[in-house]
Amino acid sequence: MKQSFLALTTLVLMFSGVVFSVCGQEDLLKKVVRLEKTHGKVEALLKEIGQKGNFVFSYSPHVIQADKEITLSTDEQRVSAFLEEICQSYAVQYFQRGNKIIIAKKKKPINNQQKATLNGYIREAGSGEALIGATVQVRAADGPDHHELLTGVVTNAYGFYSITLPVGAYKFVFSFIGYEPVEEMLFLEENTSLKIELKEATGLLQEVVVEASPEEYEDENVRSTDLGKTHLNIQEIKQIPALIGEVDVVKAIQLLPGVQVQGEGSTNFFVRGGAADQNLILLDEAPVYNASHLMGFFSVFNPDAIKNMQFYRGSIPAAYGGRLSSLLDIRMKEGNLKNFSVSGGIGLTSSRLTIEGPIKKEKSSFIISARRTYADLFLKFSRDEFTRNSALYFYDLNAKFNYKIDEKNKIYLSGYFGRDLNKFKTLQYVIDWGNATGTMRWNHLFNERLFSNTTLIYSRYDYLIDLSNEGTPFNWRSEIKDHTLKMDFSYYVNPDNLLGFGFSTTYHRFRPGESKDAVNGGVPRSNALEHAAYISNEQHIGDKLSLEYGLRYALFQLIGPTSVISYDENYLPVGTEEFEKGEIYKTFRGLEPRVSARYLLSGNSAVKVSYNRQRQYMQLLSNLALGLNAFDIWLPSSAQTPPQTSDAFSVGYFLNPGKNLYEFSVEGYYRILKNQIDYKDHGQLIMNPFLEGELRRGEARAYGIELMLRKREGRFTGWLSYTLSKAKRKIPGINNGQYYPANYDQPHSFSLVGNYKLSKRWGVSANFVYATGRPVTLPVETFRYEDFIVPVYGNRNSGRMPDYHRLDLAATLYPKEKPNRVNHSSWTFSLYNAYARYNAAAVFVSNELEDIDLVKDPDKSAFHKLSIFGIVPSITYNFKF
Amino acid sequence: MNRTSIYKYPFIIFLSFAACLQPLDWEEAEDPSGRLVVEGLITSEKTVHTVKLTRTQAVIVDSLPEMVSEAQVTIADGEREFHLQETAPGIYQTDTLQGEVGKTYHLTVRRNDKTFEAFAEMVKALPAEPVEVFKWDDRLQLPAGVTYFQFLYRDNFGAPAPYRYRVFSEIPENVADYYPTDWTVPNWIKRRMDSGNLITADSTFYLHPGLEPPAIFAYGETNVSGVTYGTRIVELFYSMTEEHYNYVRAVLSETEWKGLGPFSYVSADVPTNLTNGALGFFAASDVLRVEQVVE
């Protein structure tokens, strides 16, 4: 009997348990709760209702006014009745999900659609600046795979995102490196526009950092189909120790894998075996033809005016073309939409000042940023007359204005103007050069899925060499000028497809070299039209496979008026043909397929492959032993110098260990480059009307492996990169037609960049670089001719300069924390080349130069190494208020 | 070559912003191959012509090159063959002879069963006007009837054709006859006359048709002043074929113009017109002589 009762009781209890487990998620909306008070802020009242009912509310601050004070009619009733009172003035609906009640905006469904689009802009909370490349992750709101990542999208160059999903509830996570992520629980049942502002994670700068949750880390390097793409934000770049304290965005690029440097202090860079002119550098979409100030010691980019940089050394999107090896896409800040601010810095060689602010809050803003060196002012105090009468300086100015017409239209105007001047009055010798760019853009949102950008671009680079002394007067000017119209469209078809298409037309005007002096002549002017159209798609196939494929078609037309010199098989000029204005005398065209694929091996690792074909319709002629030059000549492709082409294959493995705390990648590449230019022996490029006769063309091969390990969050951030590579050329007439190393072939290249937050006030950083010495052609013996000792060389580039290595250190002192602090200043102390390694900038043979006034023994010669920098300390004061 | 070299100024500026110049050991340059080097010139002047044979040296040298003796050296013009005699170690000379414009001269060097050859065409030198002579410094307070003159060396660049160029001036022995009786011979003239060498301002250099950017700072203006009445100024223009000029231009690119200025050329071997691995050049030049007497 007892046993039967026990069994029956157990059965009843079990049945009850089953019943409860099936039915019992109790209906929270029907639950009756009693409150302590009936008056208070909405947020507090909801919290108390939840506490009393033993559940939580989930709602976005956008749907109800949480800080509004209200009075309820009673202190005890059903939860649903309380919600009716609280939400009566809002168009919201509420529903239960597990132990939560979700309050979401209620809208009328449109045409019973099964899908809805969420779009909008992600901006920085403090300034309203658009965040480029911010991530929108879509995660499950509930269910067995609670918070599972379903899909995602990144913002475009204007901070815009759009994602179309099946109607339902989702958790959206909006994040960007260095910013606190924002989560939104939304029931997406119709097209919704949502603007998000992210706050800078100031804890990273001023407090000891606590490791954040894994979801806050970016895994875009694993999930995207991009190979060889690096995103650098300006904050990361500002922490890298810099030469003379001058933060330089291009010098930061030189620390990445696959990037070689021409020489000490140079801003030229060479990517995956490509020449310096094969890098497309854009500033707000305008091409910058010479990114050097002061012979290459500094770049033309003022870091205070820069917001963001994307660097592609493989997988260049189909929207871009015209260069073979890389794309450096630099975006200027738009200007603070909320508050006026003044910032700048005072350093040992230059100072900079930036003013930005709203013209109309949240609608229109501006930014003006200027910079100038002033070391030349100290030359005037020199005792040496020659030095006193010399001038050596640069200045630049960035300006931008933007205006939001309405929710669907926004216009931007931006410009850059910079100039370098080297003047030696005693010699009556002046050289000056500079860039000017201007961009006008119109963003238009056709609907929630179709975004367009229309751009008008102007770009000019020119230089002047003028020597007015009576003995050898000459004057030489060179210029390249572009006018471009382009339109780009992004169509967010569905979560699995993002379609891009567009076109561009550029009018190029080339002035390779002109002289007022008839003796020197000039290189004939030329003009060209370059058109391009492209279409591409980013497609997700299932959970693991993503593809990005596209096709670009380019057309290049040379047009008159001009004189075209033709050459025979020995490169000797044989005739000149005249063409009228607008007459098309040569056309080049070609398709450029771009394909890349990513296969997810796991949640944090992937394998990627890509193939790119690129074409380039102009080349830079720069024939110097050193990287210190501004006297480049841009020349269009022609019958004598056909367009360059590149076929690039790459494969990579990507892994984000430590829950995305680290990013690891290993990439291999192989490139075939055709119609690569080199110069005949002792070719004369400047002041030579028969310039094309000095050029020789052939092919090149480049291959290598790049490794990178990066940490982007936490107290310690930085990266380590290593590249093993080979770049070689084979050009008839040079080196007996045999392969020889390219001038920038450096088989081993290593960089270590590290930043560490010591405390709230102190941060330290260091970078160490090592690279195999650059190839050099040095004499192996000599012979006498008349009074000259003439060198005899071995094979081209058969020698190597001494290996290059350097350590830079920096420490930054931040201000004390004070409430309502207005002035945010900091001091940066840096040591460039901390252990004073005298790296070789050039190696040459000459007469003894120890005493440059006398050469006692004219027959004595020696090898010499020129080093540009010893140890260079600097102090920079940065301010912002 | 005797021109003021001002290339050092940009170099000074560069060094003032730079760190240092240091010697560098370069092991690959220690063992020369000992290749044959030929330096030869035949001209339209009626004189003895010379071919010099040497060997290559190491890069860092502190001695003259090894001279090559016991070679058989001949020059043929298509009609006759001249055998050169070794008058000093490595120096081979013709008898007095005069080259002719339009002919192509064939140099042959034989030694130890090896033969080295070169061909050189003699092209006509284009006519040239005498260099301009003008009064020297009007600020000098000179007695009546006493005037001195000056002239500038020709510009290195902008000649109608490439030339090897020599200019010298010769003081007349009877210079006093050109001046008033109470004129005293200045010391700078007296010293020359006492030494027996009346040739002054003797310089040989090259004239180039275009402007060579690497050489912008290689040369300055040279002023020959204190030229008296009666001074004979002689200019010799040695014609050059294009091949010869390319050789000379390459040599200068690798030597005199090789600097640290902004326009360096990338290093490369100089060309040659000699066969069988020999270096150097064999050239033929028509010589235009332009004289003027300062009056």
Side-chain angles (χ1 to χ4, degrees), chain A residues 236 239-241 714-719 753-757 764-766:
Chain A
E236 285 177 289
Q239 291 176 355
I240 299 173
R715 203 165 176 175
F716 175 82
T717 58
W719 71 80
V753 178
N755 309 298
Y756 186 70
K757 310 297 184 302
V764 293
S765 52

Side-chain angles (χ1 to χ4, degrees), chain B residues 46-247:
Chain B
K46 192 171 183 180
T47 184
V48 168
H49 295 92
T50 302
V51 172
K52 185 163 80 173
L53 301 181
T54 58
R55 293 214 178 272
T56 56
Q57 295 177 278
V59 175
I60 299 176
V61 294
D62 55 6
S63 61
L64 292 171
E66 176 192 339
M67 306 303 283
V68 176
S69 290
E70 299 175 7
Q72 291 81 50
V73 182
T74 60
I75 297 175
D77 65 2
E79 294 170 2
R80 295 168 295 173
E81 188 173 80
F82 307 98
H83 294 265
L84 282 72
Q85 303 300 315
E86 187 172 4
T87 56
I91 305 295
Y92 301 79
Q93 291 184 316
T94 65
D95 295 329
T96 299
L97 65 87
Q98 185 173 24
E100 294 175 44
V101 171
K103 281 194 171 174
T104 297
Y105 292 87
H106 176 196
L107 172 73
T108 306
V109 176
R110 291 190 184 84
R111 191 177 187 277
N112 292 343
D113 297 326
K114 278 192 176 175
T115 302
F116 307 88
E117 296 175 278
F119 293 85
E121 181 188 357
M122 186 178 292
V123 297
K124 188 163 180 57
L126 294 180
E129 292 297 317
V131 69
E132 185 185 352
V133 178
F134 46 95
K135 252 192 202 174
W136 181 37
D137 203 340
D138 288 333
R139 289 172 298 176
L140 288 175
Q141 295 188 350
L142 298 169
V146 176
T147 305
Y148 299 115
F149 298 89
Q150 61 180 338
F151 64 93
L152 296 175
Y153 279 168
R154 286 183 189 265
D155 288 343
N156 292 72
F157 307 109
Y163 292 111
R164 187 169 187 268
Y165 171 78
R166 181 186 171 212
V167 59
F168 62 90
S169 52
E170 186 175 14
I171 307 168
E173 284 188 16
N174 61 336
V175 60
D177 294 346
Y178 291 90
Y179 287 90
T181 49
D182 59 348
W183 176 73
T184 311
V185 178
N187 284 336
W188 74 81
I189 298 174
K190 197 169 186 311
R191 276 197 293 274
R192 302 284 322 191
M193 297 181 81
D194 288 346
S195 72
N197 178 9
L198 300 179
I199 302 291
T200 63
D202 193 347
S203 186
T204 302
F205 53 96
Y206 289 94
L207 302 179
H208 306 268
L211 176 63
E212 298 288 338
I216 286 172
F217 295 109
Y219 313 117
E221 212 168 70
T222 299
N223 181 14
V224 179
S225 55
V227 176
T228 66
Y229 280 117
T231 297
R232 181 188 303 276
I233 300 171
V234 178
E235 299 176 272
L236 300 173
F237 296 81
Y238 294 76
S239 70
M240 301 171 78
T241 60
E242 191 175 336
E243 187 183 30
H244 183 195
Y245 176 63
N246 287 339
Y247 170 77

Side-chain angles (χ1 to χ4, degrees), chain A residues 623 682 781-782 793 861 865, chain B residues 19 22 33 57 59 254 266 269:
Chain A
N623 186 14
H682 308 112
E781 57 184 352
T782 60
Y793 297 97
S861 64
K865 171 183 78 167
Chain B
Q22 293 174 321
S33 65
Q57 295 177 278
V59 175
E254 291 297 328
V266 174
D269 282 329

Side-chain angles (χ1 to χ4, degrees), chain A residues 367-437:
Chain A
I367 180 169
I368 298 174
S369 189
R371 184 172 60 158
R372 192 202 191 275
T373 52
Y374 38 66
D376 59 302
L377 300 177
F378 296 100
L379 294 179
K380 300 205 183 305
F381 297 102
S382 169
R383 279 179 288 181
D384 178 72
E385 185 192 350
F386 183 85
T387 307
R388 236 181 10 252
N389 289 330
S390 300
L392 195 74
Y393 65 85
F394 75 80
Y395 62 87
D396 54 43
L397 175 73
N398 290 270
K400 190 164 180 176
F401 159 79
N402 68 83
Y403 180 70
K404 182 171 128 182
I405 300 170
D406 54 37
E407 290 302 320
K408 294 189 175 215
N409 295 280
K410 190 164 183 179
I411 57 171
Y412 303 83
L413 292 173
S414 55
Y416 164 86
F417 182 77
R419 208 83 201 154
D420 278 72
L421 180 71
N422 296 176
K423 187 175 178 181
F424 308 114
K425 199 172 174 185
T426 308
L427 298 176
Q428 297 171 281
Y429 176 58
V430 173
I431 47 176
D432 85 272
W433 68 93
N435 295 279
T437 70

